[in-house]
Amino acid sequence: MGKIISIANQKGGVGKTTTAINLAAALGVLEKSVLVVDADPQANATSGFGFDPRNVKTSIYECLLSEIEPADVILHTESPNVDILPGHIDLVGAEIEMINTPNREKVMRMALQKVKDQYDFIIIDCSPSLGLVTLNSLTASDSVMIPVQCEYFAMEGLGKLLNTIKIVQNLLNPELDIEGMLLTMYDRRLRLANQVVEEVKMHFQQMVFNTIIHRNTRLGEAPSHGVSILVHDATSTGSVNYLNLARELLQRNNMTRLNEEDKIIEIKE
């Protein structure tokens, strides 16, 4: 039975899609089977894996609104062991169209249950909002990973997101856990970035991943080539960061044992 993880934060530009693509690719390299669900109307995860959303005939939209089988929509990516359930701009209207749907918050859960057994992980790239599609994603998930950028206003909106997660836990999905908070866009040269790291770790303690995603030029370039950072530049800081995150995620879920070759790699700059 696969584990479903939503990557969510209603703030835009915090690294949700970057994390969805590259964490999936890193887990794939570590020989775990992964499905990425692009639940963002911008469909950046879809294009980040080299698919043009404009040419996608069927997407997660049809799975939610037309009861199309997810297995008929899933595409194989160039990343080893990674598939994608693509997104589409049509998702913009999904929230209105789902208003009168019975159990509207559980439509995605019912869709993903059909393929959950085929993967070790299903990673949902959520849109930067707390609308009905994101609510569906959280209801379908076993846990949620929250990217937090190491910049000013990093804590802004986190309270609202955590409150939404609590509502989902109470009313829709009591099994939903917080997988952890992931610090992104870190530049150790900046005093502010270091202050944000200290503040987030002080407030949320064990909820924060030890792995921190550094600012990295190569990481920003990869999506324009339609590949993950592990394909674009396997030796880059970004690649090492996401491999470390994948290993830490597996450790947290008791799915691996650390040996000498699998130890977390320290970034030296």
Side-chain angles (χ1 to χ4, degrees):
M1 182 71 77
K3 181 167 190 177
I4 303 178
I5 303 174
S6 277
I7 299 181
N9 190 329
Q10 76 269 28
K11 273 181 67 66
V14 299
K16 289 188 296 296
T17 301
T18 298
T19 295
I21 292 171
N22 295 301
L23 174 58
L27 288 167
V29 166
L30 296 175
E31 300 184 345
K32 300 299 179 184
S33 57
V34 187
L35 174 66
V36 176
V37 178
D38 192 348
D40 185 347
Q42 297 176 84
N44 288 336
T46 302
S47 58
F49 275 112
F51 300 100
D52 187 341
R54 294 169 297 182
N55 296 331
V56 170
K57 303 299 182 191
T58 51
S59 67
I60 182 65
Y61 172 83
E62 281 76 19
C63 295
L64 298 178
L65 275 300
S66 304
E67 297 185 3
I68 299 292
E69 294 294 321
D72 297 331
V73 180
I74 289 169
L75 303 173
H76 301 297
T77 75
E78 292 184 18
S79 291
N81 303 312
V82 180
D83 293 341
I84 185 165
L85 188 53
H88 197 275
I89 188 65
D90 287 349
L91 271 174
V92 168
E95 309 218 341
I96 297 173
E97 295 175 61
M98 292 168 69
I99 287 292
N100 297 318
T101 302
N103 291 317
R104 61 187 183 185
E105 298 90 355
K106 299 181 179 180
V107 177
M108 188 179 295
R109 172 192 275 182
M110 291 186 285
L112 294 183
Q113 286 296 327
K114 298 174 182 178
V115 295
K116 190 174 182 180
D117 288 344
Q118 300 171 29
Y119 297 93
D120 294 312
F121 289 96
I122 296 178
I123 295 175
I124 307 176
D125 181 27
C126 297
S127 63
S129 73
L130 293 178
L132 187 53
V133 175
T134 299
L135 201 59
N136 259 267
S137 301
L138 294 174
T139 303
S141 297
D142 298 302
S143 65
V144 55
M145 183 181 295
I146 305 170
V148 180
Q149 83 278 37
C150 298
E151 295 177 356
Y152 197 59
F153 293 137
M155 308 286 279
E156 187 183 72
L158 273 184
K160 188 174 182 181
L161 175 61
L162 293 172
N163 189 51
T164 299
I165 291 170
K166 189 173 291 185
I167 291 170
V168 171
Q169 290 170 327
N170 290 336
L171 301 179
L172 298 167
N173 183 6
E175 305 301 317
L176 182 66
D177 290 325
I178 295 177
E179 191 71 45
M181 296 191 174
L182 175 67
L183 291 159
T184 64
M185 303 178 186
Y186 173 67
D187 186 339
R188 70 176 64 195
R189 298 168 299 180
L190 301 180
R191 181 185 299 174
L192 176 62
N194 290 294
Q195 289 174 342
V196 170
V197 170
E198 290 176 14
E199 189 175 352
V200 172
K201 286 187 173 181
M202 180 180 68
H203 275 86
F204 300 106
Q205 301 177 5
Q206 299 303 316
M207 289 169 60
V208 184
F209 281 97
N210 292 322
T211 302
I212 297 177
I213 309 301
H214 294 62
R215 276 200 177 278
N216 179 233
T217 303
R218 303 294 278 170
L219 194 56
E221 292 172 354
S224 65
H225 296 277
V227 295
S228 71
I229 185 60
L230 281 83
V231 174
H232 185 57
D233 187 348
T235 62
S236 68
T237 297
S239 183
V240 172
N241 286 162
Y242 278 105
L243 279 169
N244 283 344
L245 177 63
R247 290 189 178 106
E248 188 175 352
L249 178 66
L250 294 176
Q251 286 174 250
R252 284 187 174 214
N253 287 275
N254 299 314
M255 295 176 69
T256 188
R257 289 181 304 178
L258 273 183
N259 55 39
E260 287 303 312
E261 295 179 356
D262 284 341
K263 284 184 177 175
I264 300 299
I265 304 166
E266 291 187 15
I267 300 295
K268 295 180 180 178
E269 295 182 348

